[in-house]
Structure formats: structure tokens, C-alpha cells
Amino acid sequence: MDKQLAQLKFRDPARARALGEALNRVTQEIGRDPISVMHVCGSHEQAIARYGLRATFPRTLNVIMGPGCPVCITDVPEVDEGVALALAGVRVATYGDMLKVPGTKRSLADARADGGRIDIVYSIAQAVDLARDTDEEIVFFATGFETTAVATAAEILRGLPKNLSILSAHKYIPPVMEIVSEMPGSRVEGFLAAGHAATITGSAVFEPFAARHKLPVVVAGFEPLDILAGLLALLEQIRDRKHDVQNLFPRCVNREGNLVAQDKLWRVFEPQGGRWRGIAHIPNGNLRLREEFANVDARKRFKIDIKSLWEDAPSQLTQHCICGDIMSGIAAPKDCPLFGKACIPDSPVGACMVSSEGTCRIWHQYGGVPDLREEQR
Amino acid sequence: MCLGVPGKILSISTEGDRADVDFFGVRREVRLDVVDEPVSVGDYVLNHVGFAIRRIPESEIGVTLELYEELIRRADENDLMTADVRGEMNAARKASDG
Ligand code: SF4
């Protein structure tokens, strides 16, 4: 009984159909073609692709994945910093997804093949454990959005082992929404905000953005029905010319967010402008360690020479990668001539094919789902 | 990396900074440094990279668990979402007695 109930609630076909019909009705009432909305979360894209939701969307509804994959937007020089450290003999610990992300000339995987020591960890706590077991210097290459940066901050505040330092490539999502919505060619009419990042920041963080850009923002969960309900709320706002922040994910998100986590996050990090790979310079989009934590900042502890990695021009193939345009919402993976041919998960050309949260990787894995919608057109 | 994973608190360390959590039958230790409100044994928390980040309200537990149970029971090893959920579980330390 329990299990049956769970399945019913989870993918109740009647509710899904009702939501689908409502989506159809509202898109017709809006009457534009296409109506483009953006989500900024790899897990949303996974769910959309995995459950074949695009095939059920109204034909005029275009749901784009924006810069919601922290691995994909880690900039090339940031990867170069990790590579340079590894090649200089420093042990680098990082999340597994980072390994194949291309730098200017080499990825961390290439650095490892050249003798660099790279440790894969699932969490900063595991990097701490590694450091406790040795006298060698270890650098934790810290990537991820605010949700992940909170863990880095908490561990730093607790006190790191002397031989552990942090190379922060952490990113902060709210500012990038501003930039992407202002991009020339952007027709994004509303945002589906990432549920778990909003667990930390709270939904209120989007209020100034929604007011300034007159764009609605809906915080939504990850189940198929959550996503359909989130899209419906977004489209209703577009139809009614509203631009409110709505929270449809109250089980994980409230208005003010997790204040304990925010306090730790901002005590350790400060926002700084920086490039997001392939997209643009994002003012306040990078999380950098505050001056008080210079003693654990790998950029201060080591002289990181990335210039020597730049002597050769980047390979021809990488220049064809259009990840940036995909994450900005002006192109789709099928627009890339390398997609599924020269660029596949085993030998990725661009960062979006590396991570389980990258658009190209997700479309490659669950292929056929997006195409179905194409055929209907 | 965006997907937190819910688990049930089985015990809390005497210092109150760590908890043993049951993730769908797997016992792991998570940190309580950044959880949003005080938690006690029996509560469900949402976890990310080894840290509890939110106490899940009682009324919301059922709906929250569904997605994960489906992912873990039915999806194959190569499924990207399942892999991310397993990654999150691996991010938490092995519980000392489990
Ligand atoms: S298919 Fe590969 S090369 Fe093309 S945009 Fe995607 S990641 Fe870049």
C-alpha cells in the first residue's frame, strides 16, 4: 500500500495530464512562439530529460538549461591553476567531475597522466582526512555553487590541518541570472530557480532581480510533477505580466533561507567578479576567500604559474565548443557539430560533456528525448 | 552537485556537531555545523557533501523521499541522477559503528 501510494503521488498520471493540459491552455493564452524560460540547475535538466518531460511540453514552450552546472562554468584559467599546482608536485584533491574538464592545454586527468598527483574526493571532509594522514601539502580545488561553498566555509571555520589549503573556484548563482537575462539575443521570459541552492539563500534573494528585470522567478523541486507545477506557475505569471518570486518547494526552501549557513558562507567568502567559462565576466559571481583566511588560500600559499601552460594555442577542437552559448540559452547541443561525434562523455571536448550536470552530457545520456519534441514540430 | 539527499537521524554525537544518519539503509555520519535549526533523533535532514543543510518539516517527509526511493530502487547504475545521489551518500563519512 505504502509503495503504491508513493508511486501514485510521484508520477500520478492524472495529475501530470491535468498539469499538461493547463500548460497547453496557458501557452495558448500567451500566444507567442516560442515562449522561453530558463532553469539553472543540472538536476532539473536531468529530471526533464530522464522522464521525457520535453516531449509532453506544449510545442511553443522552450525550456532552456542555463548556467546550472558548476563544473561546466569553472573557467579555463581556474582549471589551469589546479593543473599547474599538480605539475609542480603539489597534491590536488577535488571532486571527480573536475578531472576531465579541459584547461588551456591540459585537464587534471592529463596532469595526472603526466605524473601529477590528483586525489578524487566526494567532500572537503575527505580532503581533510587525506591531509591528516600525511605531511605533504594538499590543495583542495573547491568547486560548486553556494550550496557546496557552505561546506568549504564550515570546514575552514573549524580549522584545517596545516598542510591543507583551498583553491576556491566556488560560484554564486544569483548574479549570473542577471547577466544571462540581459544578454543580447536572450528571450528568457522567466526563471525556474534551483531548489537546493535556494535552500541556502532563501527565495528572497531573487526578489531584487525579479523586480529589476520584471521577470518572474519560481523555486521548484526535482520531481516530474514539481517541474510541471513550477512551469505552470511561471507561465501563469508571464500571461498575467507578473514578476513575483514564488516558492513551490516549501519542503526544502523558505523565504529567508538557512541563516546559519549564510553566516558561515559570508564570514569566509566574499563575492568577486570573474569569468564563468564561455559565458561572460559575472560581477560578484565568484566566491573568493576573505583576507582573514589568506593563510589557507592556495593562491597565497603557492606561486601558481599558469602562464607557462599557455605557450601553445588551444587545440582546434575546443574552439568549436559552444557550451557558453548553450548555457546562455542561445543554442542547444544539437547545434554543435561535435555533439555525439568528436565530443562524447569518454573523450569530452567541452566542459558540458564532462559533468553529470552538463547539458551535453545529459542530452547524450538520455538522447532521443529532446529529439522527440523536434519531430513533433 | 545540486541534488541534496534526505536521511533520517539515528543518533547525535555528544558534542552535538555530528549525527549518524540512515540513507535508505546505508548508515553514514554527517556534520551538523550548518543545519538551519536544532535537530533531534528521528528527524529527517537534507544533506549535501556530508553536511546536513536543512531539517525537513515533518509534513513534507513523505513527498521528499519518493523521488530518491524511486531512483535508488529502480534506476540502473549508469543513470546520472542515481549516480549523483550515490555520490552524495559517499560524501558522508562512514559511521563509526556501521
Ligand atoms: S557537444 Fe561538446 S564541444 Fe559541443 S558544445 Fe557540447 S561540450 Fe562543447
Side-chain angles (χ1 to χ4, degrees):
Chain A
M1 174 62 201
D2 241 353
K3 205 171 162 197
Q4 216 179 354
L5 200 75
Q7 284 175 11
L8 267 182
K9 271 192 284 178
F10 180 61
R11 274 199 271 181
D12 179 355
R15 269 191 67 203
R17 209 173 308 118
L19 282 167
E21 279 163 15
L23 273 176
N24 261 320
R25 199 173 54 242
V26 180
T27 44
Q28 274 165 24
E29 284 163 1
I30 297 171
R32 281 190 293 281
D33 181 10
I35 306 160
S36 298
V37 298
M38 181 176 272
H39 71 78
V40 266
C41 175
S43 305
H44 274 154
E45 187 61 30
Q46 288 175 350
I48 289 172
R50 185 175 192 274
Y51 297 106
L53 293 186
R54 275 204 180 80
T56 73
F57 292 161
R59 290 215 314 271
T60 53
L61 176 61
N62 187 18
V63 180
I64 303 163
M65 169 161 171
C69 160
V71 173
C72 309
I73 46 82
T74 304
D75 202 13
V76 177
E78 291 173 318
V79 173
D80 289 347
E81 286 177 304
V83 168
L85 280 168
L87 292 177
V90 180
R91 271 174 79 176
V92 175
T94 193
Y95 298 112
D97 269 359
M98 290 306 301
L99 216 62
K100 286 188 184 169
V101 176
T104 302
K105 266 176 74 181
R106 289 183 176 90
S107 64
L108 288 167
D110 297 332
R112 183 190 248 178
D114 291 346
R117 291 177 67 190
I118 317 282
D119 296 282
I120 292 180
V121 293
Y122 285 104
S123 67
I124 181 170
Q126 291 171 354
V128 170
D129 289 347
L130 282 177
R132 290 226 165 93
D133 281 348
T134 175
D135 295 328
E136 292 170 289
E137 281 290 338
I138 297 187
V139 169
F140 179 58
F141 185 15
T143 57
F145 294 125
E146 46 269 35
T147 341
T148 318
V150 162
T152 309
E155 206 68 70
I156 289 174
L157 287 172
R158 250 193 176 206
L160 300 180
K162 268 206 211 52
N163 55 336
L164 181 64
S165 56
I166 307 294
L167 178 65
S168 172
H170 283 306
K171 307 274 189 248
Y172 186 52
I173 291 184
V176 79
M177 291 166 60
E178 308 254 0
I179 299 301
V180 169
S181 64
E182 283 168 9
M183 276 196 174
S186 161
R187 287 164 311 177
V188 174
E189 297 188 49
F191 278 90
L192 215 55
H196 288 166
T199 304
I200 304 297
T201 58
S203 61
V205 80
F206 304 113
E207 287 168 10
F209 165 80
R212 198 160 39 235
H213 294 270
K214 299 198 165 29
L215 288 173
V217 177
V218 173
V219 182
F222 304 104
E223 292 162 40
L225 292 180
D226 281 337
I227 292 174
L228 292 175
L231 288 171
L232 180 61
L234 205 52
L235 287 169
E236 284 173 347
Q237 286 208 49
I238 293 169
R239 178 195 62 195
D240 301 339
R241 294 178 203 286
K242 286 191 176 156
H243 41 83
D244 297 332
V245 175
Q246 254 175 299
N247 177 13
L248 293 192
F249 198 36
R251 62 185 183 266
C252 287
V253 177
N254 59 22
R255 189 169 173 275
E256 63 279 3
N258 179 338
L259 298 175
V260 179
Q262 286 172 29
D263 172 63
K264 295 209 158 135
L265 179 68
W266 298 123
R267 252 157 67 198
V268 170
F269 291 105
E270 60 188 344
Q272 214 182 65
R275 276 199 69 81
W276 287 35
R277 179 187 294 248
I279 300 183
H281 178 94
I282 311 293
N284 297 325
N286 281 358
L287 296 173
R288 289 294 182 250
L289 290 168
R290 289 185 182 277
E291 198 48 48
E292 300 96 283
F293 299 97
N295 60 329
V296 295
D297 191 339
R299 292 190 176 94
K300 308 253 162 73
R301 188 173 295 187
F302 301 97
K303 250 186 117 87
I304 307 178
D305 172 23
I306 53 174
K307 296 254 162 56
S308 63
L309 296 171
W310 294 353
E311 274 150 20
D312 300 327
S315 80
Q316 284 299 317
L317 272 185
T318 348
Q319 289 173 0
H320 294 294
C321 173
I322 56 165
C323 276
D325 288 351
I326 293 173
M327 290 186 284
S328 307
I330 47 188
K334 64 173 169 44
D335 299 324
C336 174
L338 307 183
F339 178 69
K341 300 190 181 93
C343 182
I344 53 172
D346 280 341
S347 55
V349 174
C352 303
M353 188 60 90
V354 177
S355 167
S356 61
E357 293 173 275
T359 318
C360 293
R361 174 81 190 276
I362 296 170
W363 284 38
H364 190 265
Q365 168 105 8
Y366 299 110
V369 177
D371 295 349
L372 228 124
R373 188 170 162 273
E374 288 300 310
E375 278 162 24
Q376 284 177 347
R377 284 208 150 184
Chain B
M1 268 185 199
C2 303
L3 201 64
V5 177
K8 183 179 186 176
I9 297 189
L10 301 170
S11 66
I12 296 177
S13 66
T14 26
E15 303 82 23
D17 60 341
R18 287 164 290 129
D20 274 4
V21 165
D22 171 53
F23 289 118
F24 311 97
V26 181
R27 192 181 173 114
R28 291 281 157 133
E29 183 189 278
V30 300
R31 293 265 298 274
L32 298 175
D33 312 33
V34 294
V35 71
D36 61 333
E37 51 183 294
V39 290
S40 37
V41 171
D43 283 348
Y44 277 83
V45 281
L46 185 72
N47 305 281
H48 177 61
V49 291
F51 284 78
I53 55 172
R54 177 166 164 92
R55 180 177 167 270
I56 303 170
E58 189 87 37
S59 56
E60 309 284 355
I61 293 166
V63 257
T64 308
L65 296 183
E66 282 167 29
L67 171 71
Y68 298 91
E69 283 173 352
E70 195 259 6
L71 282 175
I72 290 184
R73 295 226 176 94
R74 280 197 272 175
D76 66 289
E77 287 296 314
N78 295 322
D79 187 79
L80 296 179
M81 279 186 107
T82 309
D84 279 5
V85 170
R86 286 188 204 283
E88 284 290 353
M89 284 161 58
N90 286 329
R93 275 201 178 93
K94 289 218 162 68
S96 31
D97 56 345

